[in-house]
Amino acid sequence: MSESASSPASAVDEIAPEKRDFIRQIVREDLASGKHAAIRTRFPPEPNGYLHIGHAKAICLDFGIAAEFGGDCNLRLDDTNPAKEDPEYVVAIQDDVRWLGFNWHDLRHASDYFDVLYLAGEKLIKQGDAFVCDLTPEQIREYRGTLTEPGRNSPYRDRSVEENLDLFRRMRAGEFADASRTLRAKIDMASGNMNLRDPALYRIKHVEHQNTGNAWPIYPMYDFAHSLSDAVEGITHSLCTLEFEDHRPLYDWCVDKVDLAHSPELTTSLTSKGLPFEADKPRQIEFSRLNFNWLVMSKRKLLQLVESGRVDGWNDPRMPTLQGIRRRGYTPSALRLMVDRVGISKQNSLLDISILEGALRDDLDAHAPRRMGVIDPLKVVLTNLDANHEETLTFSNHPKDEAAGTRNVPFARELWIEREDFAEVPPPGFKRLTVGKDVRLRGAGIITCDEVIKDADGGIVELHCTLDPDSRPGMEGANRKVKGTIHWVSAKHGVPTEIRLYDRLFTVPDPDSEADGKTYVDYLNPDSRKTVTGYVEPAAADAQPEQSFQFERVGYFVADRYDHTPAKPVFNRSVTLRDTWATKA
Ligand code: ATP
Ligand code: MG
């Protein structure tokens, strides 16, 4: 499949018309100097879990930079660890990348290159750059030395080329048990960089692979597979996170020693399978990982939350997976805006979650139509209207965007208002509805509360109010000043709606801290989801799944991707209007 890389116009472009981070500077210089005629990047997830917010940064950089400079970007599934990988993840990864607004040039798999990687292993053996080692995993660890002590050479390091070739071929033929041997690079057991102490290139693992089935009893190690996959695809700028900085010398070693451009037997093996080889030598460039407080982002921990049933799956709207935050109501443009605001550096840091939530608020404030929804309903009866009074009001969809148009909002004698917008005994400074005081019903007129109707236990059942006829839209008193304005939904027309009020998944900003022997599961927020039944105006119930609204005065909500239908609406709270945690924390 071959589509051209593209990035849709977004709020990002408004904010940073020209980005000048160090990676884009390198790309600019490489194009200006003629080092590369065109650039190519790749996004290389391992299909061992769902992508998360951190990956959004890598995706935006890999695809975004390629698009900005007229190059292209491959999606490569780094599937060298079959025991942990699953086609379910492969499907979700593609869905996520497209959702973020990007198309890949080619979809590749590291497993597409198993043949050429194997031949590269043989080539290294023939050059005297690799050997088959019989040390057990424990012994290898022992021989490896420490940060302060050099390692020791494996007793198998000086095997002849013939013996190594024979053993490697028999490894490939499946003659040996798992972990009984490895193919190792012959570099330097005294290197200050542990990654260069004769790292393993291949291991024996009799496991079925999702793409190659049982064809391979040996699998290439990450550094070997990754660097050579980049080289095969003609990746010019291989962007990755900082933890790979120490791997760069090994990355370069693999690329240089295998030297695809001068290995016809290797490149023929590629072209014979319809995989072109493009000769640009890849350069690895590292950038800082994206980390936010209040979240955990490691796939292992997310998997544990799912498997232990603490969340409702990978796409639970409280999860930081792209599938989760998408369902929560995060938009691709909000994520691109966040990535842009965060910028790129060489310094890992823990960012404040307000940057993420702020980008969502700003994006939705600019683009989400306004609607009225009541999440904790209290009945108001306008006693001076006829029992069957009904009218249609016209509301603008967006206060700052005339082009967003208008909608019809039904109004009638009985309304729902928010329970907290009424106080029988108002606290100081209360500006909303109380007995004997005026409040404005958004876009409809001014009401006065005359009477509070209670049940036998003293619970408030409904309010009887009078609507001031002179305060109606278009009337002389329409602009009369009152202290407060509240939202409402016509009781007759409002659609009962399941409203899922999501909040942060953890109660502390650093769930990963492991202080006092606790772990992130000890800090789960028991109130991270509350489900209530509210009422929304018909124009909100009518939403398509995944459509976002600002419910005026309440927050930003999205029609649930899976459960919402206009007949049975389900809305998820994406984010509150303001940061309610800033004062709590
Ligand atoms: P995790 O450690 O969360 O399990 P990973 O690094 O193992 O993630 P990969 O599938 O290997 O996940 O990542 C694919 C790409 O995404 C890599 O290039 C990696 O550097 C990048 N990436 C992963 N996590 C982040 C992050 N938090 N911020 C930025 N880029 C990331
Ligand atoms: Mg990884």
Side-chain angles (χ1 to χ4, degrees):
M1 116 180 266
S2 201
E3 299 165 55
S4 66
S6 68
S7 143
S10 68
V12 172
D13 306 318
E14 293 155 30
I15 289 205
E18 194 174 8
K19 300 164 202 165
R20 295 236 153 238
D21 53 80
F22 74 95
I23 297 181
R24 288 178 172 88
Q25 273 319 104
I26 292 172
V27 170
R28 261 187 203 102
E29 283 158 23
D30 287 350
L31 286 169
S33 70
K35 179 179 176 197
H36 302 294
I39 66 155
R40 177 168 294 166
T41 58
R42 86 286 168 269
F43 172 62
E46 182 180 354
N48 64 348
Y50 282 77
L51 299 182
H52 51 59
I53 296 170
H55 292 111
K57 176 176 177 180
I59 294 171
C60 288
L61 295 183
D62 292 325
F63 284 94
I65 289 177
E68 283 165 46
F69 291 93
D72 44 42
C73 180
N74 285 350
L75 174 60
R76 185 197 314 138
L77 298 159
D78 198 352
D79 54 353
T80 53
N81 198 1
K84 291 193 176 153
E85 295 161 7
D86 198 302
E88 171 191 345
Y89 302 134
V90 174
V91 172
I93 287 168
Q94 297 182 51
D95 188 37
D96 288 338
V97 171
R98 288 210 188 91
W99 174 67
L100 275 173
F102 299 108
N103 292 311
W104 43 91
H105 172 71
D106 259 334
L107 177 67
R108 298 288 183 93
H109 306 80
S111 57
D112 298 339
Y113 311 134
F114 281 174
D115 285 326
V116 71
L117 292 170
Y118 173 78
L119 292 175
E122 285 202 354
K123 175 172 178 174
L124 293 182
I125 291 174
K126 291 175 195 158
Q127 286 172 182
D129 288 318
F131 65 100
V132 173
C133 182
D134 300 357
L135 291 180
T136 62
E138 298 73 51
Q139 288 171 321
I140 289 189
R141 222 165 296 134
E142 229 172 86
Y143 274 74
R144 209 163 165 237
T146 63
L147 283 173
T148 49
E149 275 171 53
R152 284 175 293 143
N153 283 350
S154 160
Y156 305 97
R157 200 176 199 263
D158 296 320
R159 275 179 164 151
S160 68
V161 168
E162 291 67 36
E163 190 183 1
N164 280 321
L165 261 186
D166 175 60
L167 287 171
F168 188 46
R169 286 173 181 163
R170 289 166 61 197
M171 279 169 67
R172 193 262 169 273
E175 283 186 31
F176 307 123
D178 282 6
S180 59
R181 291 194 157 91
T182 49
L183 180 72
R184 296 176 67 182
K186 205 185 277 188
I187 309 181
D188 178 8
M189 288 305 292
S191 172
N193 183 335
M194 302 287 280
N195 295 305
L196 296 180
R197 294 187 185 173
D198 293 2
L201 304 178
Y202 262 98
R203 58 179 170 158
I204 303 175
K205 214 167 161 73
H206 294 262
V207 182
E208 186 173 314
H209 187 282
Q210 56 192 22
N211 278 348
T212 58
N214 290 310
W216 294 89
I218 57 172
Y219 289 98
M221 301 301 288
Y222 171 83
D223 291 291
F224 188 60
H226 190 80
S227 55
L228 292 178
S229 300
D230 280 351
V232 163
E233 291 173 28
I235 303 304
T236 54
H237 300 83
S238 175
L239 314 180
C240 65
T241 36
L242 279 176
E243 70 272 22
F244 294 106
E245 196 164 18
D246 285 349
H247 293 241
R248 189 176 351 118
L250 178 55
Y251 180 101
D252 290 337
W253 185 93
C254 294
V255 170
D256 290 338
K257 290 286 182 186
V258 172
D259 192 13
L260 277 170
H262 300 101
S263 310
E265 76 282 14
L266 269 62
T267 46
T268 310
S269 126
L270 283 170
T271 44
S272 69
K273 290 180 68 191
L275 295 166
F277 163 67
E278 286 150 271
D280 264 331
K281 184 176 158 182
R283 168 175 176 188
Q284 176 180 305
I285 304 169
E286 307 86 14
F287 62 87
S288 56
R289 281 179 90 82
L290 185 63
N291 281 307
F292 283 110
N293 58 9
W294 298 96
L295 302 180
V296 301
M297 256 187 321
S298 109
K299 283 183 202 159
R300 185 177 56 78
K301 293 179 180 171
L302 298 179
L303 183 65
Q304 204 199 335
L305 288 173
V306 172
E307 287 187 338
S308 62
R310 289 179 169 93
V311 296
D312 301 330
W314 289 98
N315 61 13
D316 185 303
R318 294 165 295 182
M319 289 281 275
T321 52
L322 296 182
Q323 296 279 328
I325 61 168
R326 172 176 181 177
R327 195 168 177 195
R328 176 75 170 260
Y330 271 79
T331 56
S333 47
L335 288 173
R336 292 195 299 262
L337 181 61
M338 175 277 291
V339 168
D340 212 59
R341 285 179 177 170
V342 163
I344 311 175
S345 76
K346 278 263 185 196
Q347 204 70 50
N348 276 332
S349 63
L350 190 62
L351 298 174
D352 196 87
I353 191 79
S354 62
I355 298 177
L356 178 68
E357 295 176 348
L360 181 61
R361 278 193 195 96
D362 291 349
D363 183 60
L364 292 177
D365 180 40
H367 300 116
R370 275 35 176 185
R371 294 290 183 264
M372 290 198 288
V374 171
I375 59 177
D376 185 10
L378 172 62
K379 177 82 65 78
V380 162
V381 181
L382 302 174
T383 51
N384 60 330
L385 295 185
D386 280 352
N388 46 13
H389 179 94
E390 238 180 273
E391 61 185 288
T392 302
L393 303 174
T394 305
F395 275 48
S396 71
N397 281 327
H398 199 290
K400 293 171 234 170
D401 180 8
E402 230 174 278
T406 60
R407 70 188 191 276
N408 291 332
V409 181
F411 179 75
R413 185 173 188 259
E414 295 196 0
L415 309 173
W416 296 115
I417 67 164
E418 214 67 70
R419 195 163 279 272
E420 62 167 33
D421 282 339
F422 173 76
E424 206 172 7
V425 184
F430 191 76
K431 295 198 176 108
R432 294 163 279 167
L433 193 60
T434 88
V435 181
K437 288 258 169 62
D438 289 348
V439 81
R440 183 183 305 282
L441 291 178
R442 164 94 171 89
I446 296 168
I447 59 168
T448 311
C449 179
D450 309 312
E451 195 184 355
V452 181
I453 312 297
K454 296 184 177 173
D455 61 20
D457 305 324
I460 300 176
V461 181
E462 61 184 38
L463 306 173
H464 287 182
C465 302
T466 322
L467 173 66
D468 171 7
D470 192 43
S471 70
R472 305 300 320 277
M475 301 297 287
E476 202 155 307
N479 294 325
R480 174 156 69 87
K481 282 218 159 27
V482 285
K483 288 234 172 70
T485 299
I486 62 174
H487 61 278
W488 52 271
V489 169
S490 161
K492 178 171 177 193
H493 305 90
V495 184
T497 296
E498 179 176 333
I499 298 181
R500 299 171 183 166
L501 299 169
Y502 290 108
D503 205 340
R504 293 183 186 167
L505 188 53
F506 298 100
T507 53
V508 294
D510 52 349
D512 264 335
S513 70
E514 308 201 342
D516 310 325
K518 292 188 175 175
T519 67
Y520 60 102
V521 290
D522 299 312
Y523 298 115
L524 285 167
N525 177 5
D527 298 322
S528 59
R529 179 183 58 195
K530 277 182 255 172
T531 302
V532 299
T533 301
Y535 293 93
V536 301
E537 57 169 288
D542 253 356
Q544 296 295 314
E546 301 210 85
Q547 198 177 348
S548 291
F549 296 117
Q550 183 194 91
F551 288 167
E552 291 191 35
R553 303 183 58 240
V554 182
Y556 293 100
F557 289 79
V558 68
D560 188 75
R561 184 180 177 192
Y562 302 109
D563 300 336
H564 171 87
T565 63
K568 226 177 147 289
V570 179
F571 277 95
N572 301 329
R573 180 166 69 196
S574 311
V575 68
T576 50
L577 289 180
R578 265 164 244 96
D579 187 350
T580 53
W581 286 77
T583 43
K584 278 194 232 171

